[in-house]
Amino acid sequence: MRPDLPSPTPPAGRPDTPRTYSVRTYGCQMNVHDSERLTGLLEQAGYVAAADDDGADVVVLNTCAVRENADNKLYGNLGHLAPVKAGRPGMQIAVGGCLAQKDRGEITRRAPWVDVVFGTHNIGSLPVLLERARVQQEAQVEILESLEVFPSTLPTRRESAYSAWVSISVGCNNTCTFCIVPSLRGKEKDRRPGDILAEVEALVAEGVREVTLLGQNVNSYGAEYADRLAFGKLLRSCGDIEGLERVRFTSPHPKDFTDDVIAAMAETPNVMPQLHMPLQSGSDRVLKAMRRSYRQQRYLAIIDRVRSAMPEAAITTDIIVGFPGETEDDFAETLHVVRQARFAGAFTFQYSPRPGTPAAALEEQVPREVVQERYERLVALADDVAWSENKAVVGRTVELMVAQGEGRKDVRTHRLSGRARDNRLVHFTPVDRDGRPVDVRPGDMVEVEVTYAAPHHLVSDAPVRSVRPTGAREEAAVLLGMPTVRA
Ligand code: SF4
């Protein structure tokens, strides 16, 4: 517990028990990363995780502002919490994240039972604001216009012991017309490479085997100190970290995706052959209206170069349907790119106007029923393509990292789950060639042969070929009586 942080006053009537917390996370990986910091901060201040969310002394809502119904979701949740709080004196509610950064004091005006509102630039202030609200019996609203400290310097409590998010930058210098992130998370701020690599080394020393480098636009990493090749160099430096088995990153941006990054991916063994690169639209006219600063041809050319450097790479994307002014011809261009790019998966979204973004003010909003109909056609095509891409993996031997949570046993099939190097989800049966159960744990690396493909996951019902327990070196894999054929 940090001596300089006020220790939270124990709950009424329970003087000897620490106050409990629950952090509810909405939105993107950046929020997941921030929530790991919020839980780390609260635990460092002496709070403990509540056994059940509804019973927590402190409820923290880490909000998202990307989609229109985000507001409805927040005020709906706060409405549900009001009677809970009324029935439990001393309970506190705190609201953080992008919607807090946007709505500020409006939140306590609409929901006066909220105790604390903090922004995306000062998540470190939560424990102090909670105590101040308690002592002064007054709601605390503290929103900063620029970053106080890099969230990565704050204490953390990670969801997984083997995988970790490592933020390399916060904020974004782009101005996509549908996006509110730059106005809520500010201009891009880059961490120094040394700080990032030191954090990764510390994580590996704690047993982490996989890191995901995180930024709104990882490809422009280094812009702040004028090094356009910084991201490619960072990937290569991760390759020198002993014990770091897997490196992933999100989100790249096609306009800044340069060949040095493709080369770094292909030439650095622990950088995974997997790329999640948002397309948003396949139409040049719509990409221009979105202010995405690339066109269809450039996007497909990057995909081709990635594939020629890493033929086994799995590529996924984000696509928005129904952007204002989108015609049937524009939409046909999106379908064309989905066929050409052969995505292993696509996160598809129906456009919804976000107040405060330029696109929300555009005249030609596409009627809902048209957006819905196009959305269904896109999902059907994207699923078809993903399924045929998955079918091409059947018969291949892949190495999985058995992930926490995802690694739990399926009671019906007794299968465990893990992620392949290309981030595909694989459900496998933990038995050896004689049908005996194999002891597999989260974080272990197992080699299995893919025997079946579904649209969004793969299955291996063949005997496990090898197991490499967490912490064991590559060459220590326990072969289970079957020759290993590496993918
Ligand atoms: S790149 Fe565009 S969509 Fe992504 S965070 Fe920046 S402004 Fe938003």
Side-chain angles (χ1 to χ4, degrees), residues 373-386:
E373 188 276 333
R374 286 180 187 163
Y375 178 76
E376 287 160 14
R377 273 193 283 152
L378 174 66
V379 170
L381 174 65
D383 282 357
D384 267 4
V385 170

Side-chain angles (χ1 to χ4, degrees), residues 5-6 38 42 45 47 58 92-96 115-119 122-144 148:
L5 277 178
L38 291 170
L42 289 168
Y47 295 81
V58 172
Q92 290 185 296
I93 300 169
V95 178
D115 301 277
V116 168
V117 177
F118 62 98
N122 61 322
I123 62 174
S125 319
L126 177 61
V128 170
L129 293 171
L130 284 169
E131 271 317 285
R132 203 184 296 156
R134 166 186 307 292
V135 173
Q136 298 175 6
Q137 288 301 303
E138 192 188 339
Q140 302 292 312
V141 177
E142 186 180 281
I143 304 288
L144 303 186
E148 188 179 45

Side-chain angles (χ1 to χ4, degrees), residues 172-176 178-182 216-217 253 280 292:
C172 184
N173 294 342
N174 296 312
T175 55
C176 304
F178 55 82
C179 182
I180 200 157
V181 169
Q216 304 289 357
N217 173 6
H253 195 299
Q280 306 303 12
R292 290 287 290 171

